[in-house]
Amino acid sequence: MKQIWKKHRVSLTAAGLVVCLTAAFGAGIVYSRSQAEKDVVKAAEKEVQKDAGEDELPRTNVPWEDDTLYKDILSDSYRDIGSEVCRKFGADYETVTMNEVTAEMRSFEEALILRKDMGANPLLEKNEDKNAIEKDNGYSSATMSLETYMNDVYAFGGGRTVIKEICGKYGIDPDTAVISALTAEQLEEIGASAYDASDHPKD
């Protein structure tokens, strides 16, 4: 898997950023269903599958239409997250379609995925494991801090300020805490503040 990630880093990063943005992480971001975004994800998946084989990688977010089932855009490893999202918002996980999924649902989903995939990672960039990052020739979900993630998603440099502000509000030490120390709601609050503070296009 590490070799696949290294070989297709550009494609996967492009697809990942589209997924992050369309997930509407942070209140106020309206996720888009443009064909361009679908094509980026689809192209990235095809490039990876060409050498890896479809069975070697779990299904991740895939191109979708209004009548696509929400459960069908999630990797198998995120089934529990999809179910939790639907429970919180009173939706039926087995039948809810993408035209019924709200920006708030995708925001909560993204926060849960951060806790699941990056829960052991530090909040601040200065506490990242630089040796591990160098060994892997770049970031992975096991080494990226919340600060770096926010800065990448919102294309700005204010992640540290936002994280410290929200952590201070809840009495959390950002220098020692890891991502899983934050609740999904606190992560959503950080995302919303990062969005507001960035130059990300606003509606």
Side-chain angles (χ1 to χ4, degrees):
M1 183 64 187
K2 184 182 294 184
Q3 287 74 20
I4 295 170
W5 166 251
K6 288 180 180 178
K7 185 171 183 180
H8 301 288
R9 185 183 307 278
V10 174
S11 297
L12 290 172
T13 299
L17 287 176
V18 169
V19 169
C20 290
L21 294 175
T22 58
F25 188 55
I29 305 175
V30 179
Y31 64 90
S32 170
R33 298 194 298 267
S34 70
Q35 189 61 46
E37 290 172 341
K38 297 176 187 177
D39 289 345
V40 170
V41 178
K42 190 172 183 179
E45 288 177 344
K46 282 184 176 180
E47 185 175 346
V48 173
Q49 291 169 357
K50 183 168 57 179
D51 290 326
E54 291 193 14
D55 293 336
E56 191 171 338
L57 292 173
R59 186 175 67 257
T60 54
N61 285 265
V62 297
W64 49 269
E65 304 296 339
D66 281 352
D67 60 353
T68 300
L69 290 174
Y70 172 54
K71 68 177 184 178
D72 287 342
I73 73 161
L74 298 175
S75 166
D76 291 342
S77 62
Y78 297 147
R79 297 286 183 186
D80 56 335
I81 287 177
S83 296
E84 186 172 348
V85 169
C86 289
R87 280 195 300 272
K88 177 174 180 176
F89 291 93
D92 184 344
Y93 177 67
E94 294 298 326
T95 62
V96 66
T97 56
M98 289 306 296
N99 66 317
E100 300 171 308
V101 173
T102 65
E104 289 77 15
M105 292 171 71
R106 298 310 303 271
S107 174
F108 186 59
E109 170 203 305
E110 182 72 5
L112 293 177
I113 289 175
L114 279 174
R115 283 173 51 83
K116 178 182 177 72
D117 288 353
M118 297 169 55
N121 297 7
L123 299 184
L124 302 181
E125 183 271 338
K126 68 178 183 178
N127 295 324
E128 291 173 345
D129 187 339
K130 306 302 182 185
N131 290 331
I133 294 170
E134 183 177 357
K135 183 178 180 180
D136 287 345
N137 294 323
Y139 286 109
S140 72
S141 62
T143 57
M144 181 179 287
S145 67
L146 183 62
E147 177 185 349
T148 299
Y149 178 86
M150 288 294 164
N151 286 346
D152 283 352
V153 169
Y154 295 106
F156 82 139
R160 178 181 303 228
T161 300
V162 169
I163 290 168
K164 285 190 170 184
E165 178 184 339
I166 301 302
C167 284
K169 177 180 176 181
Y170 294 103
I172 298 170
D173 184 354
D175 287 314
T176 59
V178 294
I179 291 175
S180 61
L182 301 174
T183 66
E185 290 76 14
Q186 288 167 345
L187 286 169
E188 287 185 285
E189 192 170 347
I190 289 173
S193 294
Y195 169 71
D196 289 339
S198 73
D199 292 328
H200 202 85
K202 311 293 194 297
D203 290 334

